[in-house]
């Protein structure tokens, strides 16, 4: 009990989750809202995947509806929703401000990390399930689950959680900042561009692909390995780091990995390459 008091917890309450958890860390907890956030870049239906089988009790969260705003190409493919819109979405999903959330998908965290990052920057207890659905040892189900709607307070996005296109450009050009591109190396180098307006990357960006955060079994690598990946690119303090990807989704996986490794929380450039590539700003392909 003394340890709980020193941690600022009420006796019997659970400690806040780290950014990334495994199934053993949440085993037996009936206070966790499991969220299935499957979404596919190739256009497959995440809802259909959910209905084919999901963690028992999990609700489905729609990346395009609940975690994104909508706008023209000049805003990027997945703009961040306004604070009111996100609060409304959480309320509709039945997620209250005191609910602990664990999100997962079947792509290493690519879409699910967006929900976890959005919640964590608001101070909400949330974590990404390493290994995803494939590694879940518990029961699964096919019926769609719904939670009763709740009233969720509006919490404004905090300063520094994300940056705009000018700040991303400045990070790439700055001597005391680090800009990280979380896409695969082929897209970073401009060898291929399957979806955005033109190939390449933001000048000055280093490439730290989110997919390389995982070991051979599909789980996040150990903390020392994760930390070394970012330190190699000059990240000593995430406060001076900006991360981007294709549309501000997989970058959140790198952001969580960096926080999990004890480097702090970087800023995310939400517009990412999907916004940058629709401008006349320069691009590098080396």
């Amino acid at each position: 009990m003394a340890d709980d008091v020193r941690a600022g917890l009420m006796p019997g309450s659970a400690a806040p989750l780290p950014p990334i958890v495994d199934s053993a860390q949440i085993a037996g907890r009936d206070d966790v809202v499991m969220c299935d956030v499957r979404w596919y870049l190739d256009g497959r239906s995440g809802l259909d995947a959910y209905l084919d089988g999901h963690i028992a009790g999990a609700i489905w969260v729609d990346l395009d509806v609940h975690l994104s705003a909508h706008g023209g190409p000049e805003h990027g493919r997945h703009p961040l929703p306004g604070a009111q819109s996100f609060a409304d979405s959480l309320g509709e999903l039945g997620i209250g401000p005191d609910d602990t959330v664990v999100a997962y998908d079947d792509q290493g965290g690519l879409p699910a990390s967006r929900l976890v990052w959005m919640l964590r920057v608001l101070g909400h207890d949330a974590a990404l399930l390493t290994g995803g659905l494939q590694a879940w040892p518990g029961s699964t189900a096919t019926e769609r689950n719904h939670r009763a709607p709740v009233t969720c307070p509006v919490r404004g996005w905090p300063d520094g959680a994300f940056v705009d296109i000018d700040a991303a450009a400045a990070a790439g050009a700055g001597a005391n900042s680090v800009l990280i591109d979380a896409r695969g190396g082929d897209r970073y180098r401009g060898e291929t561009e399957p979806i955005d307006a033109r190939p390449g990357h933001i000048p000055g960006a280093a490439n730290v692909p989110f997919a390389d955060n995982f070991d051979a079994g599909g789980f996040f690598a150990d903390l020392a390995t994760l930390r070394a990946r970012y330190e190699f690119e000059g990240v000593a303090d995430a406060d001076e780091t900006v991360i981007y990807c294709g549309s501000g989704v997989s970058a959140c996986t790198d952001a969580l990995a960096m926080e999990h490794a004890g480097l702090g929380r970087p800023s995310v450039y939400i517009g990412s390459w999907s916004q940058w590539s629709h401008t006349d700003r320069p691009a590098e392909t080396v």
Side-chain angles (χ1 to χ4, degrees), residues 1-138:
M1 181 178 296
D3 289 340
D4 285 345
V5 172
R6 284 194 295 268
L9 302 172
M10 293 296 292
S13 64
L17 295 176
I20 298 164
V21 297
D22 60 29
S23 58
Q25 288 172 276
I26 57 173
R29 288 189 56 168
D30 58 6
D31 62 329
V32 171
V33 181
M34 298 297 297
C35 292
D36 187 310
V37 199
R38 277 180 281 179
W39 174 90
Y40 304 98
L41 189 61
D42 61 12
R44 284 177 291 153
S45 168
L47 178 58
D48 285 349
Y50 169 85
L51 295 174
D52 283 341
H54 54 265
I55 292 175
I59 60 173
W60 185 62
V61 177
D62 189 331
L63 171 68
D64 292 316
V65 172
H66 300 121
L67 309 181
S68 306
H70 301 281
E74 68 274 15
H75 301 294
R77 281 182 278 116
H78 292 105
L80 199 67
Q84 180 68 64
S85 176
F86 187 46
D88 291 344
S89 289
L90 291 175
E92 172 191 330
L93 291 165
I95 299 174
D98 297 322
D99 288 323
T100 296
V101 170
V102 172
Y104 71 90
D105 53 52
D106 57 6
Q107 299 179 78
L110 186 156
S113 62
R114 171 80 166 226
L115 172 61
V116 175
W117 174 81
M118 290 169 68
L119 289 172
R120 288 186 71 86
V121 298
L122 294 176
H124 195 122
D125 192 18
L128 181 67
L129 180 66
T130 185
L133 178 63
Q134 302 93 313
W136 182 249

Side-chain angles (χ1 to χ4, degrees), residues 139-223:
S139 58
T140 58
T142 56
E143 74 278 1
R144 185 167 184 177
N145 298 303
H146 296 277
R147 292 173 59 86
V150 298
T151 299
C152 193
V154 178
R155 296 168 287 184
W157 297 115
D159 292 340
F162 58 92
V163 300
D164 62 14
I165 192 169
D166 292 328
N176 298 315
S177 58
V178 179
L179 179 64
I180 289 176
D181 186 320
R183 297 175 299 164
D186 55 347
R187 291 185 70 190
Y188 168 82
R189 293 186 296 271
E191 297 167 1
T192 183
E193 183 44 68
I195 191 167
D196 290 318
R198 56 191 171 110
H201 62 266
I202 298 173
N207 189 210
V208 186
F210 90 93
D212 292 347
N213 284 324
F214 313 113
D215 61 22
F219 296 90
F220 274 84
D222 62 84
L223 298 184

